[in-house]
């Protein structure tokens, strides 16, 4: 059998049919988990069995035998995980929205409307919808210690955890105690009990500089009592750090380097040092955030390595790092984040450093850029860390709660950052029928014409906005149209529905039957904040933007080329097209 690498291309109408079929398949699988009545999915991986309702986990483990379907799947994954990376939630909803947009736009390109113009119409409508969402958003109060805001965060967490009251209460308490800059670290408790404790922690939005530092399924590196070096300048000369590496190879102490840039030779040397038993990692801090280096050094108690300050690897190599490195009780590093727990910096020195930053902030009140930078630094230094020990009756149920806890924390953070919207898919569903949405389409029609591909792309996007609302209710076996009627009749522009009030009517019971009620009539429809059905604004914004971007891209495709490693796979793919 030949293993020569070959390619095969699909083009024209076959592409549209493939995208439509694949998108529906993905949406059916991932969308089945959406809402309180969503189903669990069982993922069998090389690391074990994983039962979950978390759409991100389901999608991450999804793959198809057909290489063309996998190509489409990867495009959708990129968009969906972008939503998750930016807002920490919204994976499932983004998947469902993408499918509904494509369901309509691919019909247009099938009728020979220009796919590029359809895509532009989608993007124009999406940007207008975002503007309307921002206008309808409600902000959470700054004081998280008051009961009203505690309840709002509790309700945000309840949506993300599918009604897990214990986890929701924990998250609300954490933000109440630590403020909106709280950070978390999740661990399994090893029992059925779930608990948390608050300690000192410092988190950065930067992660490991190379994937070769990682060797586990979670793509996470955990250090216990690491030695930490902080350089305000690029580390680009291998001879400068070799004494440090050799010293720690001998002592067996794990080591982490922070710098704005690492030469490839440095990264390779540190990766190869793993062969000699050294656990090590490089964290690249964005050069635009170089000011954070001083804070990191204060947190861990290290020197700030800088030629301007007279402290470099080269000039102080004879000390073998003894006067250079800082410490922490632990560190957790992912692709995009670094969490330092119980840094070894002197408490009084750190307190004085924070006081100095506060003084700078007062002196720079008239400089918005400096205010933004100093506020960011102070928030990171003041933010507490909560370690949550997730429990469950089985390993499978523990892992499921672990996934939900990650979603809940990210949702609470997003709500504190950008505010809240009515939950349950209502925020977008109402947009479909609002006067403002009609105005959006009328403006586009005046500029481009009602029969233009641009207008029809915009209309297809607006018409898709009830997809999440419909899927949540259909997963519960409820006709979405009946709930939509109640919501649209209301004068309250912040209304939603509560599936927790849903009851099935027993029509064999004379009392219940005499009321002429249907199951849908038992569902409470009221102000979203009052009934606790709220979603973070940031999550919804990212659902809209990323779904529009992905659906627009797939709508404008004319061909797909995939690599085939085996000739029999090529023949099989060709036969499937016939």
């Amino acid at each position: 059998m030949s293993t020569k690498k070959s390619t095969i291309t699909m083009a024209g109408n076959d592409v549209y049919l493939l995208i439509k079929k694949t998108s529906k398949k993905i949406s059916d699988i991932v969308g089945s988990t959406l809402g309180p009545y969503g189903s669990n999915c069982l993922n069998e991986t090389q690391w074990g069995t994983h039962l979950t309702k978390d759409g991100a986990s389901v999608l991450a483990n999804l793959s198809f035998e057909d290489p063309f379907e996998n190509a489409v799947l990867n495009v959708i994954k990129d968009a969906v995980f972008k939503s998750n990376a930016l807002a920490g939630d919204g994976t499932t909803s983004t998947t469902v929205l993408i499918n509904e947009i494509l369901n309509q736009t691919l019909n247009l390109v099938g009728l020979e409307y220009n796919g590029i113009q359809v895509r532009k119409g989608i993007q124009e409508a999406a940007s207008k919808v975002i503007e309307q969402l921002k206008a309808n958003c409600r902000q959470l109060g700054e004081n998280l210690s008051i009961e009203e805001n505690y309840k709002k965060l509790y309700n945000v967490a309840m949506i993300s955890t599918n009604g897990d009251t214990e986890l929701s209460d924990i998250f609300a308490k954490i933000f109440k105690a630590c403020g909106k800059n709280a950070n978390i670290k999740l661990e399994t408790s090893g029992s059925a009990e779930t608990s948390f404790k608050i300690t000192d922690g410092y988190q950065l939005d930067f992660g490991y500089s190379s994937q070769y530092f990682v060797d586990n399924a979670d793509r996470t590196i955990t250090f216990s009592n690491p030695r930490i070096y902080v350089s305000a300048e690029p580390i680009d000369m291998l001879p400068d750090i070799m004494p440090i590496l050799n010293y720690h190879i001998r002592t067996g102490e794990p080591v982490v380097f922070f710098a704005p840039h690492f030469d490839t030779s440095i990264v390779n040397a540190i990766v190869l040092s793993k062969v000699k038993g050294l656990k090590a990692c490089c964290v690249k801090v964005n050069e635009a955030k170089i000011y954070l280096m001083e804070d990191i050094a204060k947190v861990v108690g290290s020197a700030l390595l800088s030629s301007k300050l007279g402290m470099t690897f080269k000039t102080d190599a004879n000390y073998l790092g003894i006067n250079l490195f800082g410490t922490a009780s632990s560190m957790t590093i992912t692709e995009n984040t670094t969490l330092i727990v119980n840094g070894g910096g002197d408490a009084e020195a750190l307190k004085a450093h924070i006081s100095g930053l506060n003084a700078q902030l007062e002196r720079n009140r008239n400089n918005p850029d400096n205010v933004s930078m100093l506020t960011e630094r102070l928030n990171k230094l003041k933010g507490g860390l909560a370690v949550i020990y997730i429990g469950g009756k089985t390993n499978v149920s523990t892992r499921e709660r672990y996934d939900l806890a990650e979603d809940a924390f990210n949702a609470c953070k997003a709500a504190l950052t950008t505010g809240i919207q009515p939950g349950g898919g209502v925020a977008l569903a109402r947009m479909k029928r609002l006067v403002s949405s009609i105005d959006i389409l009328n403006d586009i029609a005046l500029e481009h014409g009602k029969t233009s591909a641009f207008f029809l792309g915009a209309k297809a996007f607006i018409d898709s906005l009830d997809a999440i609302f419909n899927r949540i209710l259909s997963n519960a076996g409820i006709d979405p149209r009946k709930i939509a009627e109640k919501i649209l009749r209301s004068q309250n522009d912040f209304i939603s529905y509560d599936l927790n009030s849903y009851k099935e009517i027993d029509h064999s019971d004379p009392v219940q039957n005499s009321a002429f009620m249907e199951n849908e009539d038992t569902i409470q429809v009221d102000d979203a904040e009052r009934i606790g059905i709220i979603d973070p604004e940031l999550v919804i914004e990212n659902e809209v933007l990323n779904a529009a971007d992905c659906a627009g891209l797939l709508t404008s495709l004319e061909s797909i080329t995939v690599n085939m490693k085996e000739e029999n796979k090529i023949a099989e793919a060709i036969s499937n097209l016939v």
Side-chain angles (χ1 to χ4, degrees):
M1 183 184 297
S2 171
T3 58
K4 185 178 178 181
K5 190 174 181 180
S6 303
T7 61
I8 182 169
T9 300
M10 178 187 290
N13 198 52
D14 288 332
V15 172
Y16 310 141
L17 294 174
L18 170 86
I19 293 172
K20 196 169 187 178
K21 179 186 75 171
T22 306
S23 174
K24 183 179 185 304
K25 187 186 294 187
I26 296 167
S27 180
D28 286 347
I29 295 169
V30 179
S32 68
T33 67
L34 189 60
Y37 284 82
S39 304
N40 281 311
C41 287
L42 188 65
N43 291 329
E44 188 70 37
T45 71
Q46 60 180 308
W47 300 286
T49 301
H50 183 195
L51 183 70
T52 184
K53 247 180 117 279
D54 176 48
S57 298
V58 174
L59 186 62
N61 287 287
L62 194 60
S63 64
F64 300 125
E65 290 186 9
D66 186 303
F68 291 106
E69 289 186 353
N70 257 338
V72 176
L73 170 64
N74 287 333
V75 173
I76 292 176
K77 278 186 176 182
D78 284 345
V80 170
F81 289 138
K82 188 176 179 182
S83 286
N84 195 264
L86 293 172
D89 204 359
T91 306
T92 310
S93 297
T94 305
T95 306
V96 170
L97 186 54
I98 289 170
N99 177 64
E100 185 57 33
I101 299 168
L102 288 171
N103 194 40
Q104 302 199 40
T105 59
L106 291 174
N107 291 334
L108 296 173
V109 292
L111 294 171
E112 299 189 355
Y113 283 94
N114 184 277
I116 299 296
Q117 287 299 313
V118 172
R119 180 184 185 185
K120 289 181 178 178
I122 293 170
Q123 292 171 333
E124 176 71 10
S127 66
K128 298 293 185 183
V129 165
I130 294 295
E131 290 176 10
Q132 295 298 319
L133 284 171
K134 288 181 183 294
N136 193 43
C137 177
R138 289 184 185 176
Q139 297 298 320
L140 272 69
E142 286 291 320
N143 187 357
L144 299 181
S145 64
I146 63 175
E147 186 63 25
E148 180 185 357
N149 290 325
Y150 163 88
K151 191 66 177 176
K152 289 176 185 176
L153 286 173
Y154 175 87
N155 288 330
V156 168
M158 280 285 283
I159 299 296
S160 290
T161 61
N162 296 314
D164 190 318
T165 55
E166 183 179 35
L167 285 177
S168 300
D169 181 58
I170 284 174
F171 281 113
K173 286 178 177 176
I174 287 170
F175 282 101
K176 185 176 181 178
C178 300
K180 64 180 181 181
N181 300 304
N183 295 304
I184 65 161
K185 181 181 180 183
L186 297 177
E187 296 184 4
T188 55
S189 68
S191 69
E193 301 297 321
T194 297
S195 60
F196 76 98
K197 70 176 182 180
I198 295 173
T199 183
D200 293 328
Y202 182 83
Q203 183 158 315
L204 293 159
D205 298 324
F206 312 106
Y208 44 74
S209 62
S210 170
Q211 61 180 341
Y212 294 109
F213 289 120
V214 188
D215 55 9
N216 58 52
D218 290 337
R219 315 301 297 164
T220 299
I221 314 169
T222 302
F223 290 89
S224 179
N225 298 312
R227 300 311 186 237
I228 304 163
Y229 295 85
V230 184
S231 174
E233 298 170 343
I235 302 178
D236 50 18
M237 299 296 291
L238 184 57
D240 291 352
I241 70 160
M242 282 310 299
I244 301 291
L245 284 179
N246 290 330
Y247 172 76
H248 290 294
I249 288 171
R250 291 196 304 271
T251 63
E253 298 164 338
V255 60
V256 177
F257 295 91
F258 286 91
H261 175 75
F262 295 91
D263 186 78
T264 303
S265 63
I266 303 290
V267 175
N268 291 341
I270 295 175
V271 169
L272 289 173
S273 68
K274 291 167 61 180
V275 177
K276 299 181 180 180
L278 178 64
K279 188 170 184 177
C281 183
C282 297
V283 177
K284 181 180 175 181
V285 177
N286 191 315
E287 290 192 22
K289 304 278 188 175
I290 197 72
Y291 49 79
L292 294 176
M293 290 300 193
E294 183 184 7
D295 301 340
I296 299 169
K298 292 293 183 183
V299 168
V300 302
S302 73
L304 180 59
L305 301 175
S306 167
S307 57
K308 294 179 180 178
L309 300 176
M311 293 285 282
T312 68
F313 287 114
K314 186 175 182 180
T315 55
D316 294 285
N318 290 332
Y319 289 103
L320 295 177
I322 294 173
N323 292 334
L324 301 182
F325 64 72
T327 60
S329 63
S330 69
M331 284 182 67
T332 302
I333 305 174
T334 70
E335 184 178 5
N336 299 307
T337 63
T338 297
L339 178 62
I340 302 170
V341 180
N342 292 326
D346 180 76
E348 289 302 315
L350 184 58
K351 186 177 178 181
H353 179 63
I354 292 173
S355 295
L357 292 177
N358 277 318
Q360 288 185 52
L361 181 61
E362 290 305 314
R363 291 195 301 269
N364 286 270
R365 285 296 181 187
N366 294 326
N367 187 323
D369 290 339
N370 285 348
V371 167
S372 176
M373 179 265 290
L374 290 165
T375 301
E376 177 192 8
R377 295 175 67 178
L378 286 165
N379 286 342
K380 285 183 179 297
L381 289 167
K382 292 176 182 178
L385 171 71
V387 182
I388 306 175
Y389 303 94
I390 305 293
K393 293 181 179 178
T394 65
N395 289 337
V396 173
S397 64
T398 300
R399 183 65 211 187
E400 180 189 10
R401 295 189 82 208
Y402 192 103
D403 288 340
L404 294 174
E406 285 183 325
D407 284 348
F409 174 73
N410 290 324
C412 288
K413 275 275 195 183
L416 286 166
T417 302
T418 58
I420 54 175
Q421 290 279 1
V426 172
L428 292 180
R430 290 189 82 250
M431 289 293 298
K432 180 176 177 178
R433 294 179 175 86
L434 285 178
V435 173
S436 55
S437 296
I438 297 171
D439 289 341
I440 290 171
L441 291 177
N442 285 339
D443 290 344
I444 292 173
L446 285 173
E447 184 175 351
H448 297 274
K450 275 197 171 184
T451 60
S452 68
F454 192 103
F455 171 81
L456 293 173
K459 186 176 185 302
F461 178 80
I462 296 290
D463 287 345
S464 303
L465 292 178
D466 58 359
I468 300 166
F469 171 84
N470 291 341
R471 188 58 195 256
I472 291 172
L473 289 165
S474 61
N475 278 350
I478 295 166
D479 185 350
R481 292 171 298 180
K482 295 185 177 180
I483 305 302
E485 288 173 8
K486 289 185 179 182
I487 288 171
L488 290 171
R489 284 199 303 266
S490 173
Q491 298 300 309
N492 183 351
D493 61 1
F494 212 82
I495 198 168
S496 191
Y497 60 93
D498 185 6
L499 281 179
N500 293 317
S501 63
Y502 174 52
K503 295 184 179 67
E504 291 189 3
I505 299 298
D506 182 3
H507 291 289
S508 65
D509 184 330
V511 176
Q512 292 191 40
N513 196 47
S514 64
F516 299 105
M517 292 179 66
E518 297 295 334
N519 293 338
E520 290 80 2
D521 294 322
T522 66
I523 297 173
Q524 182 183 6
V525 175
D526 203 342
D527 184 86
E529 280 196 62
R530 189 176 298 119
I531 59 177
I533 308 300
I534 50 180
D535 283 338
E537 161 79 10
L538 182 62
V539 171
I540 299 175
E541 282 185 25
N542 279 290
E543 289 168 1
V544 169
L545 291 173
N546 294 319
D549 186 56
C550 178
L553 173 65
L554 290 172
T555 297
S556 63
L557 286 185
E558 282 290 334
S559 66
I560 301 174
T561 299
V562 296
N563 293 319
M564 307 289 289
K565 292 183 179 179
E566 299 176 7
E567 289 179 357
N568 64 326
K569 287 188 177 180
I570 299 174
E572 181 183 341
I574 293 172
S575 66
N576 287 338
L577 301 180
V578 178

